[in-house]
């Protein structure tokens, strides 16, 4: 079978989400490292793939796709046999869309503010950047509580309940980004902590961590 899928990635970025999804699907694909430390995501060649200069990008034959949530939806739709999204037209699918958009537009957006607070103040305003970062961390804490409450509400092993889905790859990746917070997702919340350990134990996640050469703490 020819390899038509290419994931342009950098370790521990949002690219981890489709990276996990691809491993769960089991379809052949090629990883293409975009060395962010060398500003490879700002080169003319990469900007032809994603004019925003952001990672990841998925190339599927003639299709070039960016935006993490869109990539995940495309992979779910083109590999329905993997069962990583509920059936179309169902209430479960509607909630899948809701949480996917919440993860990318609310939690991930808030994490970007935390990690890059200088983007939201005037150049050189270090005090302002510190305040923005502190406010972002407080907001993220409330959002993590929301994830914890959702897991408590349904009591299932995965984020959508009994069935593992692409949402789990997204929740895992974003919660991993909080591992060095004063109140990290995996160590301070009763339902998120065990849930993230279950995800960490999945073979697909273990393969992604090995491929990206990541080291502890993993979450």
């Amino acid at each position: 079978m020819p390899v038509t899928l290419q994931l342009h990635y950098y370790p521990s970025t949002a690219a981890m989400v489709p990276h996990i999804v691809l491993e769960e699907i089991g379809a052949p694909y090629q990883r293409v490292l975009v060395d962010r430390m060398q500003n490879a995501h700002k080169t003319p060649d990469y900007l032809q793939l994603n004019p925003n200069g952001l990672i990841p990008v998925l190339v599927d034959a003639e299709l070039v796709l960016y935006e993490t949530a869109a990539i995940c939806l495309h992979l779910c739709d083109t590999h329905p046999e993997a069962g990583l999204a509920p059936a179309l037209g169902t209430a479960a699918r509607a909630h899948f869309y809701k949480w996917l958009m919440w993860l990318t537009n609310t939690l991930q957006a808030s994490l970007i503010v935390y990690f890059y607070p200088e983007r939201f103040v005037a150049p050189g305003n270090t005090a302002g950047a510190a305040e923005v970062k502190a406010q972002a961390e407080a907001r993220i804490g409330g959002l993590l509580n929301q994830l914890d409450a959702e897991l408590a509400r349904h009591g299932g092993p995965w984020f959508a309940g009994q069935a593992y889905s692409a949402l789990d790859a997204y929740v895992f990746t974003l919660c991993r980004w909080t591992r060095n917070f004063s109140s990290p997702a995996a160590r301070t919340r009763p339902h998120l902590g065990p849930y993230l350990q279950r995800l960490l134990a999945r073979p697909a996640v273990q393969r992604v961590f090995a491929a990206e050469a990541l080291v502890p703490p993993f979450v």
Side-chain angles (χ1 to χ4, degrees), residues 4 15 24 50 69 71 95 108 111 115 118 120 124 141 146 150 171 184 209:
T4 62
E24 292 283 358
N50 184 351
I71 291 170
H95 284 295
Q108 186 175 351
L111 284 159
F115 286 113
E118 69 282 354
F120 301 90
Q146 191 173 341
E150 177 64 10
V171 174
F209 273 63

Side-chain angles (χ1 to χ4, degrees), residues 21-39:
V21 170
L22 283 163
E23 285 293 333
E24 292 283 358
I25 286 169
Y29 72 98
Q30 177 187 9
R31 286 184 292 268
V32 180
L33 178 66
V34 182
D35 193 345
R36 203 170 63 168
M37 296 300 100
Q38 301 298 322
N39 282 324

Side-chain angles (χ1 to χ4, degrees), residues 173-197:
T173 298
L174 298 184
C175 285
R176 170 180 154 74
W177 290 0
T178 73
R179 65 193 181 279
N180 295 318
F181 279 30
S182 59
S183 180
R187 279 160 278 163
T188 57
R189 290 168 178 82
H191 304 282
L192 265 180
Y195 161 75
L196 293 171
Q197 291 301 320

Side-chain angles (χ1 to χ4, degrees), residues 29-171:
Y29 72 98
Q30 177 187 9
R31 286 184 292 268
V32 180
L33 178 66
V34 182
D35 193 345
R36 203 170 63 168
M37 296 300 100
Q38 301 298 322
N39 282 324
H41 57 310
K42 303 299 182 183
T43 62
D45 285 348
Y46 189 79
L47 291 174
Q48 285 189 345
L49 298 175
N50 184 351
N52 303 296
L54 298 173
I55 302 167
V57 164
L58 182 78
V59 178
D60 184 354
E62 300 302 315
L63 174 68
V64 177
L65 195 61
Y66 50 87
E67 295 297 332
T68 302
I71 291 170
C72 289
L73 281 172
H74 173 69
L75 290 172
C76 290
D77 290 346
T78 52
H79 298 84
E81 71 285 354
L84 295 182
L88 286 168
T90 63
R93 182 75 172 211
H95 284 295
F96 175 86
Y97 290 143
K98 175 193 72 179
W99 281 111
L100 187 64
M101 299 312 126
W102 183 90
L103 288 163
T104 188
N105 289 332
T106 303
L107 180 54
Q108 186 175 351
S110 298
L111 284 159
I112 294 301
V113 175
Y114 172 86
F115 286 113
Y116 304 102
E118 69 282 354
R119 296 178 181 176
F120 301 90
V121 297
N125 185 0
T126 55
E131 184 174 353
V132 167
K133 184 170 186 172
Q135 290 295 317
E137 184 171 5
R139 172 171 168 74
I140 291 162
L143 300 176
L144 295 176
N145 290 342
Q146 191 173 341
L147 293 177
D148 195 71
E150 177 64 10
L151 288 166
R153 182 191 65 79
H154 62 63
W158 309 116
F159 192 73
Q162 295 301 316
Y164 180 92
S165 74
L167 293 177
D168 293 296
Y170 221 133
V171 174

